[in-house]
């Protein structure tokens, strides 16, 4: 039996070869992945990335795919989200992940300018957002403020993505204030054009059909039935095979239950999910430095945008564990009901909530009922200790579940259960 399709694995298999021998899946996946990375505009890394991406777009054009249009029309959501990732922390200081010594150790810190140096996204967007949206720097990271900043930045970044020169897009080069204003006056392409190019991105770079936009699913279905043209040369389409049963099941699921891929009215296909992916990355950065409340605020906003997303529900529950295990447990239980895929991780988090709430028997019972779990999975988990919870990463979930059950049994004074789980912990590497 063939392994299931994984766009990233395909790309990694091609990585050491010249672009001309890459699969189309690899080229489109590399293009999308690079634009989602956090690379500061104007940095040497950004210049190198722009050169790399230009080579990819040139190769796609040589294969009959217009690389320029694919970037601006198909990857507009990724470009706008990349701008959001760079600019958002300047309005929400809680989201500035700056490791190192605190600023108060400097006896004579230089005053911070109202905006960063010219030709950064913050310096371009700052005056516009202040003048037009009434946004000032250093807002609290509440859900309302996050929603306000995200909406304002996206409303300005997306028109830029549709009209800027290709090399500026690939380097995420900020425009001038005048250019940004002008971009917002440009006529937008017809929605069907944007959906057509998004279909190409979904088909070649999105592993799971659940992450495709609904228009992409419908176009794929009609093309396979012979009722719609391919979005690229027909010779490229076999590079990724789609299983009819899986496609039909996802279309049916969308029709019955508006799930995590639902697109908000007025937003281009893919923008909502791409934006939430960028915010989730920032939230995980905050968790790593102990800013659980700020990370939770990001996931609360994300869930407001996509309330049925199982992964967002699980991640919000994970953020809430140190501060509110009861609320965390509710979110984690909802995530598993919604089909969250990483069952062992979710089980550990729910069992930990039970332990923190004093339900030691409930903690042991949950783990015992599910044991054994099969092959372990590496994950970042909260580990209880004498001084509270500590983020351990990455650790084996199965091993940590056994340790958690042993801890609960020992605290409860259940010597038989403690001995049983202790033996399991000792047997594991």
């Amino acid at each position: 039996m063939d392994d299931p399709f994984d766009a990233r694995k395909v790309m990694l298999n091609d990585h050491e070869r010249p672009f001309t021998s890459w699969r189309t899946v690899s080229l489109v996946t590399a293009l999308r992945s690079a634009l989602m990375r956090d690379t500061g505009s104007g940095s040497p890394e950004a210049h190198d990335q722009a050169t790399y991406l230009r080579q990819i777009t040139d190769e796609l054009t040589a294969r009959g795919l217009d690389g320029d249009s694919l970037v601006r029309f198909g990857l507009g959501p990724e470009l706008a989200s990349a701008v959001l990732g760079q600019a958002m922390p300047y309005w929400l200081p809680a989201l500035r992940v700056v490791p190192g010594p605190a600023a108060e150790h400097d006896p004579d810190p230089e005053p911070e300018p109202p905006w960063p140096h010219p030709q950064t996204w913050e310096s371009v967007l700052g005056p516009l957002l202040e003048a037009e949206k009434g946004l000032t720097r250093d807002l609290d990271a509440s859900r309302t403020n996050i929603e306000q900043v995200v909406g304002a930045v996206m409303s300005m970044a997306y028109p830029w993505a549709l009209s800027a020169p290709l090399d500026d897009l690939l380097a995420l080069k900020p425009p001038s204030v005048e250019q940004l204003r002008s971009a917002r006056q440009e006529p937008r392409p017809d929605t069907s054009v944007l959906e057509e190019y998004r279909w190409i991105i979904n088909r070649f770079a999105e592993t799971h059909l659940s992450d495709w936009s609904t228009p992409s699913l419908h176009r794929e279905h009609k093309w396979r039935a012979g009722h719609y043209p391919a979005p690229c040369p027909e010779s490229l389409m076999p590079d990724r095979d789609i299983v009819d049963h899986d496609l039909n099941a996802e279309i049916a699921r969308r029709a019955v239950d508006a799930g995590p891929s639902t697109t908000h009215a007025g937003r281009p296909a893919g923008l909502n999910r791409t934006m939430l992916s960028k915010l989730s990355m920032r939230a995980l950065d905050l968790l790593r430095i102990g800013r659980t409340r700020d990370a939770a605020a990001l996931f609360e906003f994300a869930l407001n945008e996509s309330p049925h997303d199982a992964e967002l529900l699980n991640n919000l529950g994970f953020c809430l564990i140190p501060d509110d295990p009861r609320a965390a447990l509710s979110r984690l239980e909802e995530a598993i009901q919604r089909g969250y895929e990483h069952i062992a991780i979710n089980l550990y988090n729910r069992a930990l909530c039970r332990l923190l709430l004093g339900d030691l028997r409930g903690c042991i019972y949950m783990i015992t009922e599910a044991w054994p779990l099969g092959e372990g999975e590496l994950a970042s988990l909260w580990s209880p200790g004498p001084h509270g919870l500590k983020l351990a990463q990455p650790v084996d979930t199965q091993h940590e579940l056994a340790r958690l059950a042993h801890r609960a049994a020992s605290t409860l004074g259940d010597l038989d259960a403690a001995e049983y789980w202790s033996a399991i912990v000792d047997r594991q590497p």
Side-chain angles (χ1 to χ4, degrees), residues 45-379:
E45 293 81 5
H47 179 270
D48 292 344
Q49 174 172 295
T51 302
Y52 164 76
L53 294 180
R54 185 68 193 215
Q55 292 174 319
I56 291 176
T57 56
D58 288 347
E59 176 60 27
L60 286 168
T61 300
R63 297 186 186 190
L65 274 168
D66 182 354
D68 183 297
S69 296
L70 186 64
V71 170
R72 73 178 66 254
F73 300 146
L75 289 168
E78 281 76 9
L79 290 163
S81 297
V83 172
L84 175 69
Q86 289 192 24
M88 195 172 173
Y90 286 84
W91 284 271
L92 302 166
L95 307 186
R96 294 179 199 151
V97 181
V98 184
E104 58 264 23
H105 293 310
D106 185 351
D108 298 303
E110 292 188 12
E112 189 177 11
W115 298 107
H117 296 295
Q119 289 306 97
T120 63
W121 277 106
E122 305 79 41
S123 65
V124 173
L125 289 170
L128 288 176
L129 293 186
E130 281 192 347
E132 298 183 18
K133 307 293 185 181
L135 294 178
T136 57
R137 281 189 79 179
D138 297 350
L139 298 168
D140 293 331
S142 66
R143 195 179 84 181
T144 299
N145 286 341
I146 292 171
E147 185 172 0
Q148 193 177 12
V149 171
V150 167
V153 172
M154 286 301 207
S155 70
M156 296 183 183
Y158 191 67
W160 164 83
L162 295 175
S163 59
L166 177 60
D167 288 333
D168 288 0
L169 296 179
L170 298 179
L172 287 179
K173 180 183 177 183
S176 66
V177 173
E178 293 73 24
Q179 289 170 328
L180 195 59
R181 284 199 176 106
S182 176
R184 294 161 64 197
Q185 305 307 315
E186 294 285 335
R188 292 198 181 188
D190 188 80
T191 301
S192 64
V193 173
L194 300 177
E195 290 176 348
E196 200 78 4
Y197 279 100
R198 194 64 189 178
W199 178 20
I200 298 173
I201 300 300
N202 287 159
R203 193 175 207 285
F204 292 110
E206 290 279 15
T207 297
H208 303 292
L209 292 173
S210 59
D211 293 332
W212 286 30
S213 70
T214 299
S216 293
L217 293 172
H218 291 175
R219 279 169 165 75
E220 180 74 23
H221 184 273
K222 288 187 282 188
W223 171 73
R224 296 175 74 81
H227 303 317
Y228 199 86
C232 61
E234 286 277 357
S235 60
L236 300 180
M237 295 296 276
D239 195 46
R240 193 243 173 114
D241 187 35
I242 305 295
V243 179
D244 283 332
H245 174 270
D246 295 341
L247 178 68
N248 295 336
E250 180 60 22
I251 291 173
R253 186 190 68 79
R254 301 274 181 99
V256 173
D257 176 27
S261 299
T262 300
T263 303
H264 287 226
R267 287 186 181 172
L271 181 55
N272 197 53
R273 173 163 287 280
T274 306
M275 175 190 70
L276 297 185
S277 174
K278 177 63 68 173
L279 293 181
S280 295
M281 291 163 61
R282 182 57 56 120
L284 293 175
D285 287 339
L286 293 169
L287 276 183
R288 292 185 185 104
I289 59 174
R291 306 250 288 275
T292 54
R293 292 183 185 276
D294 295 328
L298 276 182
F299 282 120
E300 284 169 352
F301 163 76
L303 269 172
N304 188 56
E305 297 289 297
S306 191
H308 303 300
D309 191 306
E311 186 168 357
L312 293 176
L313 284 162
N314 181 82
N315 290 351
L316 174 57
F318 182 73
C319 294
L320 292 172
I321 288 174
D323 302 308
D324 191 346
R326 192 173 301 281
L329 181 59
S330 175
R331 292 296 192 178
L332 293 164
E333 288 175 341
E334 187 177 356
I336 208 68
Q337 291 166 7
R338 290 280 177 185
Y340 182 66
E341 294 180 351
H342 303 284
I343 296 173
I345 295 173
N346 181 276
L347 173 64
Y348 176 88
N349 290 330
R350 287 186 289 126
L352 176 60
C353 288
R354 293 284 185 191
L355 183 142
L356 295 174
L357 292 168
D359 183 7
L360 301 175
R361 291 201 180 279
C363 171
I364 299 168
Y365 178 78
M366 289 175 65
I367 299 171
T368 303
E369 282 292 290
W371 199 268
L373 296 167
E375 188 175 348
E377 184 174 9
L378 294 179

Side-chain angles (χ1 to χ4, degrees), residues 348 351-352 355 363 367 384 399-409:
Y348 176 88
L352 176 60
L355 183 142
C363 171
I367 299 171
H399 181 71
E400 294 304 307
L401 276 163
R403 290 184 60 205
L404 190 65
H406 175 259
R407 184 185 186 89

